[in-house]
Amino acid sequence: MRSEILYPGAFPLVKIELSAGEQIKAESGAMVGASPTIDVESKMEGGFLGALSRKLLTGEKFFFQTLRASRGPGEVLLAPTVPGEIVILELDGVTEYMVQKDGFLAGADSVRIESKMQSFARGLIGGEGFFILKIGGKGPLIINSFGAIHRIDLKPDQEYIVDNSHMVAWSATTSYTIERASSGWVASFTSGEGFVCRFRGPGVVYIQSRNPGGFGAWIRQFIPVSE
Amino acid sequence: MIPHEWRETLPRMSSSPNALCFGHEFPTSGVPCLVQIGLQGLTVVFTSDGQEQQEDIPFTALSISVGGLDHDHLVLKWPSKQGERLLYLKDAELIRTFRRVAPPSVHIPFEQAASVARLARWRRMGAWGVAFGILLTGVAGLWWGSDLLVALAVERIPVEWERKLGEAAYRELLARQDLVKEGPAVSAIQEMTRRLVEQIPHNPYKFEVTVVKSDVVNAFALPGGYIVVFTGLMQNAACAEEVAGVLGHEIHHVLQRHGLERIVKRLGLVVAASILVGDQRGFAGLMKQFSVEFVGLTFDREQETRADIAGLHLLYDAKIDPFGMIRFFERLSANDEGRMEWLSTHPMSRGRAERLTAELAAMPQLTPVPFTFDWAAVRESLGAPPSAEP
Ligand SMILES: [Zn+2]
């Protein structure tokens, strides 16, 4: 698997070259184009119950796709749904990343994806749903964001505060607690900036420069409401 | 130097990296390394550019804690020549070996760390347990018709918030109505409202009453203190005290949060449970969709009775003749039902007026203080004859 990001910036594509017999995992619906040698299989990562619970609790797509170069070498083109940057992380077999449900685009077959029920409070107010993806294993992992991806490096015990709707992925060695952004529940609910996450190192946190929920709200004001 | 046998005592468990090492000069994402556990301590092997580098750390130099998002990493810390080093272990086999081999001096901190991790896991499971418990209780509660859950949920909604929701519905509704903005009718309603509201101790609401031009004999209250009175109601009232009675009743729908109760009941369990566990944002979204439904909101019999009784007491405290309210109810129940919309939202029964009469009889004699306006003039300003038909 050799991957290359084309048109870096807001509207990138990833080109992945596969040798014969090689396969990758991709978010279903991410495929834009492929050589005729590539076959697409939908597979339920994490078993039926895992897939079902992901579907029910995160509204996420039921399947990941497996793209396999079954009939000889070929290439696939992948793109995320939202405008934003794509980043390729090389997993070393030890490092694990927690990835919010919309952040996963593709990964090598040797990349391991689990959906994980997280703590109730984090699920409820953390903004990324009750399930997040825990991704480990070895090989390239391709994540995408809404807007640009910004990397924050945290030394041991170093802290950083991130608005919860901007989180994309973070290494499993970091920990975080959820805090209210502003004083008073009413203020948080009405200002729309509910909660922030206080991350604590060591590790890396990837955040997105735009907030999908905020953007949605901004768009909605231009959509006429029928009486 | 470290004796060679250290590494011979246990089989090499794996040759690929099994831990992440953090340190001052390392990248913040950590450096993968191979940790092996011997009888005296750890050996950490780093491979960079094909070059193997290793560090031996005696158990005595280690301090132990748990880390990571799920408290599932064993964190070993020691001072090295290059500064403090941290090792994050997750491999279960490796952690078991560590526990087996580590000397007694390390046992206590290890067990402490392990119990921190267990506690965190339990707490997480516990929170899920409580959440499911609440859901189950909720299902059971609603199933058996218990209003406890609804009451609990309603209690959790902040007043300010209720006010915002009510206001949204109110503005939306008024935008489509013909309003009476000033004149005798408006100042009469304002005077009545002021006298009533003054009597409410610790009132968290700012009441706003609007008069809407319409023949329907009706008045209603929205959550948060928004009350609408139709001119039809005023035209049909023989005296101001009758209208004040309706106002007192509507004010108590607000104070007792009947609208919210109704909505929570209607939206059901999920919403109630989500408010209980603190997720009011979800509720906000739903309320927005349902805000228009406020208008068609009817209350149940029990709520009506509670509003009647409390409204009567409010009239009494405000020194407004409570007989007006009772008389109005009696007249409504005797009247043609078709024109009386208040009847459709307020099922009128003789029992209702009778209950109020009984309640009033138990209260000490009252010397009413009349209103400053002339009711006949108010009626005339609305185009009704100066006195209502009996
Ligand atoms: Zn009522």
Side-chain angles (χ1 to χ4, degrees), chain A:
Chain A
M1 164 180 184
R2 251 194 36 231
S3 38
E4 188 191 347
I5 297 172
L6 309 175
Y7 322 111
F11 302 100
L13 268 181
V14 199
K15 185 171 87 177
I16 301 174
E17 285 170 25
L18 300 176
S19 44
E22 210 179 7
Q23 63 181 40
I24 57 164
K25 293 167 178 154
E27 196 224 350
S28 45
M31 200 181 78
V32 173
S35 312
T37 50
I38 307 288
D39 282 338
V40 182
E41 293 164 35
S42 285
K43 202 167 92 182
M44 287 172 286
E45 191 75 32
F48 177 76
L49 273 183
L52 182 69
S53 52
R54 269 206 313 273
K55 169 75 183 156
L56 288 180
L57 286 143
T58 66
E60 184 192 328
K61 294 187 190 77
F62 201 66
F63 299 103
F64 288 126
Q65 285 178 334
T66 301
L67 307 177
R68 179 205 284 274
S70 0
R71 281 166 282 113
E75 62 169 49
V76 288
L77 297 176
L78 301 177
T81 315
V82 294
E85 208 176 334
I86 294 176
V87 167
I88 303 175
L89 305 176
E90 196 61 40
L91 297 187
D92 52 26
V94 197
T95 307
E96 286 177 324
Y97 286 97
M98 315 304 279
V99 179
Q100 61 97 345
K101 59 186 164 64
D102 297 322
F104 173 79
L105 186 65
D109 193 45
S110 49
V111 164
R112 197 179 59 245
I113 303 168
E114 288 167 59
S115 63
K116 228 178 139 304
M117 192 157 79
Q118 55 172 343
S119 92
F120 187 75
R122 282 187 196 141
L124 198 60
I125 56 185
E128 73 274 4
F130 288 104
F131 281 74
I132 48 176
L133 302 175
K134 185 177 197 171
I135 302 183
K138 215 166 154 55
L141 163 68
I142 305 173
I143 60 173
N144 69 274
S145 65
F146 184 51
I149 291 191
H150 177 67
R151 173 183 162 132
I152 298 166
D153 286 293
L154 296 177
K155 293 276 182 201
D157 292 333
Q158 191 186 341
E159 291 189 333
Y160 208 85
I161 293 170
V162 175
D163 184 291
N164 75 78
S165 42
H166 287 261
M167 288 156 57
V168 177
W170 54 99
S171 38
T173 52
T174 59
S175 59
Y176 71 80
T177 51
I178 289 173
E179 295 171 7
R180 238 160 54 198
S182 49
S183 56
W185 289 96
V186 177
S188 326
F189 291 127
T190 50
S191 68
E193 28 216 76
F195 299 91
V196 293
C197 300
R198 181 186 289 265
F199 275 95
R200 192 185 179 88
V204 179
V205 179
Y206 291 92
I207 61 171
Q208 53 195 5
S209 65
R210 292 293 179 275
N211 167 356
F215 184 68
W218 183 78
I219 289 279
R220 266 194 297 283
Q221 67 179 328
F222 300 112
I223 300 174
V225 183
S226 56
E227 286 274 296

Side-chain angles (χ1 to χ4, degrees), chain B residues 16-259:
Chain B
S16 55
N18 56 6
L20 282 173
C21 190
F22 296 87
H24 187 68
E25 77 282 22
F26 292 159
T28 45
S29 54
V31 173
C33 57
L34 175 63
V35 174
Q36 291 168 74
I37 296 164
L39 288 179
Q40 311 294 311
L42 311 176
T43 305
V44 183
V45 181
F46 300 96
T47 312
S48 61
D49 310 327
Q51 286 259 300
E52 274 202 9
Q53 246 190 333
Q54 84 177 50
E55 198 172 338
D56 296 297
I57 308 111
F59 285 125
T60 48
L62 296 174
S63 55
I64 296 176
S65 58
V66 286
L69 188 59
D70 293 322
H71 302 275
D72 54 357
H73 290 76
L74 179 66
V75 182
L76 304 174
K77 187 156 84 173
W78 74 94
S80 95
K81 278 178 283 243
Q82 287 82 22
E84 200 172 73
R85 288 280 162 83
L86 281 172
L87 204 56
Y88 273 67
L89 308 181
K90 237 206 104 180
D91 187 283
E93 185 63 32
L94 191 64
I95 293 174
R96 266 199 295 279
T97 310
F98 181 87
R99 186 182 192 179
R100 202 173 64 234
V101 176
S105 62
V106 180
H107 273 163
I108 295 169
F110 181 89
E111 295 309 324
Q112 277 169 350
S115 67
V116 168
R118 266 195 302 274
L119 195 70
R121 255 196 303 276
W122 274 109
R123 224 182 286 136
R124 202 170 88 204
M125 305 276 283
W128 278 104
V130 168
F132 284 121
I134 287 171
L135 273 174
L136 281 181
T137 318
V139 172
L142 288 191
W143 188 263
W144 300 113
S146 157
D147 291 338
L148 182 67
L149 187 78
V150 173
L152 280 175
V154 166
E155 226 169 77
R156 295 274 308 248
I157 301 169
V159 168
E160 227 177 299
W161 221 70
E162 184 188 2
R163 198 176 50 73
K164 276 211 153 66
L165 294 165
E167 194 186 351
Y170 188 59
R171 300 284 166 238
E172 184 156 342
L173 174 86
L174 294 189
R176 282 175 274 150
Q177 303 291 337
D178 195 1
L179 308 185
V180 182
K181 293 227 169 69
E182 53 197 356
V186 173
S187 31
I189 289 289
Q190 278 169 352
E191 181 179 334
M192 291 178 207
T193 311
R194 196 180 53 245
R195 274 184 63 179
L196 290 167
V197 169
E198 271 169 7
Q199 299 304 318
I200 304 167
H202 317 296
N203 171 22
Y205 299 98
K206 209 177 144 288
F207 283 91
E208 197 177 318
V209 183
T210 303
V211 180
V212 168
K213 223 174 270 174
S214 165
D215 285 341
V216 292
V217 182
N218 206 355
F220 61 84
L222 295 175
Y226 299 95
I227 295 174
V228 172
V229 178
F230 292 102
T231 48
L233 179 89
M234 300 176 77
Q235 285 162 352
N236 269 275
C239 64
E241 282 74 11
E242 295 187 0
V243 178
V246 171
L247 277 178
H249 170 100
E250 295 300 338
I251 284 172
H252 272 280
H253 278 317
V254 172
L255 291 176
Q256 296 168 4
R257 313 186 105 182
H258 288 161

Side-chain angles (χ1 to χ4, degrees), chain B residues 249-250 253 299 304 307 342 345-346 352:
Chain B
H249 170 100
E250 295 300 338
H253 278 317
F299 302 115
E304 289 304 336
W342 214 61
T345 51
H346 291 85
R352 213 164 147 182

